[in-house]
Amino acid sequence: MAEKGVHAVVAFGTFQGWQNVFYLSNHWDLVSCYLVFFLHDEPVLFTGLYPHLASARDNAVVRDIRVGGTKSVELLVELLEERGLARRPLGLIEPDSYRLPGIPHRDMTHLQEARSQAELVPCTRMLEAIRRIKSDEEIAILRTCAALTDDCLSRVFECVRPGLTDKDLAHQIASSPGDTVAVLVGSTSMSQPRVPAPAIRPLGREIEAGDVVLIELSKGGAGYAGQVHGMVTLGPATDCYLEMTGLANDAYRAVVGALRPGCSPYEAVKAASMISRAGYTVANPLIHGFGMGIEPGLHVGIPGAAAYWPPADFTFPRGATLTIEPNPCNKEMTIGATAGGLALVTANGCKELQKLAGHDLVQKRV
C-alpha cells in the first residue's frame, strides 16, 4: 500500500468471490461485503446481511464490524471522510482478477461520484500476488486438506457399484469428513462415451457395468482445500481408456518433474506435449492455482485449447500451490481421462501433496 501511495484499500467480497476479503479478515459473507483496510488504522468491515452479524463477529479478526447492506458504499465514503482520506488515492481490491473482476456497477458509480476528486488505484493483483506465496502455516493446513481429499476419493472408489447414480457419489463426497469445496462426478459407457471430464453438475444417471466414472473433488477446512482427480471402471477398462488414463498420468508426472521456481508456463506445457502428439486436446486447464479455492494468475492450457491459451506472462513462484490436472480428450468432447492433484512449488522442485494423484486406473469387478 505504501509503494502504491494509498492509505486505505477497499476490498469487495461476494459469496462466490470471497477469497480476498476472507484472507484479510476471516469473513466469508453470505451476500456481499466491503472491507476498508487502512495503512495506519484499524480495518472496518461492512457486512451485507444483518441476521448473521453475530456470526461475523465470532469469526472475523476485524473488530469493527458494521451492517452495510445497500448503504455500504455510502457508509464507507463517510468513514474515509471521518479519517481524513476523502481526497486521498483509494486502493480497490476486486473479488477476483480472473473470474470476478470489478464491483457492482451501481456501487462503482456511487463511489466514483462521491470521490470525484480522488484517484482509485487498482490493487487486486497486489493482494493476489501476496496470497500466491503460501506461508508455513498455510502449507500445514493444505497438507491436512490434501489428506482429507485423498481419504474422500478412497471412500468413493470403495462405494462405486452398479445401481448408484452420479448424484449418489456426489452425496458420498459431501458426507465425507472435511468441508466440501468441489464435487465433480461424471459417468458414461466406455463403449459409447459421452463425458470428456468430471461434471460440475452430477446427473441422476444410473451407473452400469461397462461404465467409467470420472471424479474431481476437494475437501478441506479453514478456507483451504486439497484437490485430486481419479477414475474407476465397472468391469475391465477398454484399450482406449487404458491408453488415455496412462497418457493423463504420464503428463501429470512430467509436469511435476518440470515445475520449479522460475519455470515458465511454456516449459510446463512442453513437458505435457505427449497429449498433443497423441492427437488430443484438453477440456480442463493443464495447471491452475489452488489452495484457497481457485487462485487466479496461474492458469495454463495447451495450444489449441482456446480457454487457457496462450498463458499470461509469468513464472511459477516458490510457495505457490497448484492443481496439475491433465485431461486428454477428443476434440468432439465425448471421451476423456483425468488425473492429478494439488502440488507445491518448493525450492527443490515440485512436491506432490495428494498421495492418490496420478494413480493407475481403478478397475472394479462386477
Side-chain angles (χ1 to χ4, degrees):
M1 290 171 64
E3 289 173 1
K4 286 183 174 288
V6 296
H7 286 74
V9 293
V10 172
F12 175 66
T14 71
F15 180 73
Q16 291 294 329
W18 51 273
Q19 290 94 333
N20 284 332
V21 169
F22 183 88
Y23 185 85
L24 294 172
S25 69
N26 204 49
H27 174 67
W28 185 341
D29 208 283
L30 287 172
V31 181
S32 64
C33 63
Y34 283 91
L35 174 68
V36 189
F37 196 87
F38 295 95
L39 185 61
H40 299 300
D41 211 336
E42 292 299 309
V44 177
L45 175 66
F46 295 98
T47 181
L49 203 59
Y50 179 75
H52 300 289
L53 180 61
S55 179
R57 288 172 172 162
D58 284 342
N59 286 278
V61 296
V62 177
R63 299 274 63 86
D64 190 345
I65 302 175
R66 310 175 189 182
V67 177
T70 59
K71 296 184 178 180
S72 290
V73 173
E74 179 182 335
L75 293 173
L76 73 85
V77 168
E78 291 177 359
L79 174 67
L80 294 171
E81 291 175 350
E82 291 171 5
R83 298 197 177 179
L85 301 176
R87 297 179 181 271
R88 295 285 188 93
L90 176 67
L92 182 64
I93 296 176
E94 306 155 300
D96 187 300
S97 64
Y98 183 72
R99 296 178 301 160
L100 289 170
I103 67 174
H105 176 72
R106 182 188 64 183
D107 288 1
M108 188 66 176
T109 300
H110 188 174
L111 189 60
Q112 290 173 327
E113 290 175 349
R115 295 177 48 82
S116 59
Q117 299 180 18
E119 180 186 6
L120 284 175
V121 181
C123 291
T124 308
R125 295 184 186 277
M126 173 187 73
L127 179 58
E128 289 175 345
I130 293 169
R131 284 180 44 210
R132 197 166 292 146
I133 311 304
K134 302 298 186 293
S135 67
D136 290 343
E137 180 184 11
E138 289 176 290
I139 292 169
I141 292 170
L142 285 164
R143 290 186 187 280
T144 300
C145 295
L148 288 168
T149 303
D150 280 332
D151 174 70
C152 183
L153 184 60
S154 295
R155 291 169 183 259
V156 175
F157 283 157
E158 290 175 5
C159 78
V160 171
R161 65 179 185 275
L164 292 182
T165 68
D166 296 2
K167 285 187 175 181
D168 291 331
L169 298 182
H171 293 157
Q172 172 65 41
I173 294 170
S175 63
S176 296
D179 295 342
T180 303
V181 175
V183 180
L184 289 81
V185 179
S187 67
T188 188
S189 164
M190 286 187 284
S191 61
Q192 294 181 312
R194 295 174 56 86
V195 174
I200 191 68
R201 294 288 183 267
L203 302 175
R205 178 186 181 275
E206 192 170 293
I207 301 169
E208 302 175 349
D211 282 357
V212 61
V213 183
L214 291 79
I215 302 162
E216 174 184 342
L217 66 90
S218 295
K219 302 291 288 193
Y224 294 80
Q227 189 167 105
V228 71
H229 294 243
M231 296 173 60
V232 56
T233 64
L234 281 78
T238 61
D239 290 343
C240 184
Y241 274 102
L242 287 171
E243 174 198 357
M244 295 186 77
T245 306
L247 186 63
N249 286 332
D250 289 347
Y252 167 73
R253 296 187 186 100
V255 173
V256 169
L259 283 174
R260 66 191 186 285
C263 174
S264 76
Y266 295 94
E267 292 176 89
V269 172
K270 183 178 179 181
S273 60
M274 66 279 288
I275 295 175
S276 296
R277 290 199 304 269
Y280 294 112
T281 184
V282 294
N284 291 331
L286 178 67
I287 302 168
H288 63 75
F290 199 80
M292 188 178 283
I294 295 176
E295 298 179 349
L298 299 173
H299 279 69
V300 182
I302 67 172
Y308 310 108
W309 191 265
D313 182 17
F314 70 90
T315 58
F316 290 97
R318 176 182 177 181
T321 47
L322 315 164
T323 293
I324 305 168
E325 52 178 35
N327 165 226
C329 60
N330 63 355
K331 292 179 174 60
E332 295 75 24
M333 297 289 181
T334 58
I335 183 171
T338 189
L342 186 68
L344 169 69
V345 180
T346 75
N348 299 316
C350 187
K351 174 70 174 177
E352 298 175 78
L353 297 183
Q354 301 291 164
K355 293 182 179 179
L356 295 185
H359 63 80
D360 292 334
L361 178 63
V362 175
Q363 303 178 63
K364 300 190 76 169
R365 293 183 179 182
V366 292

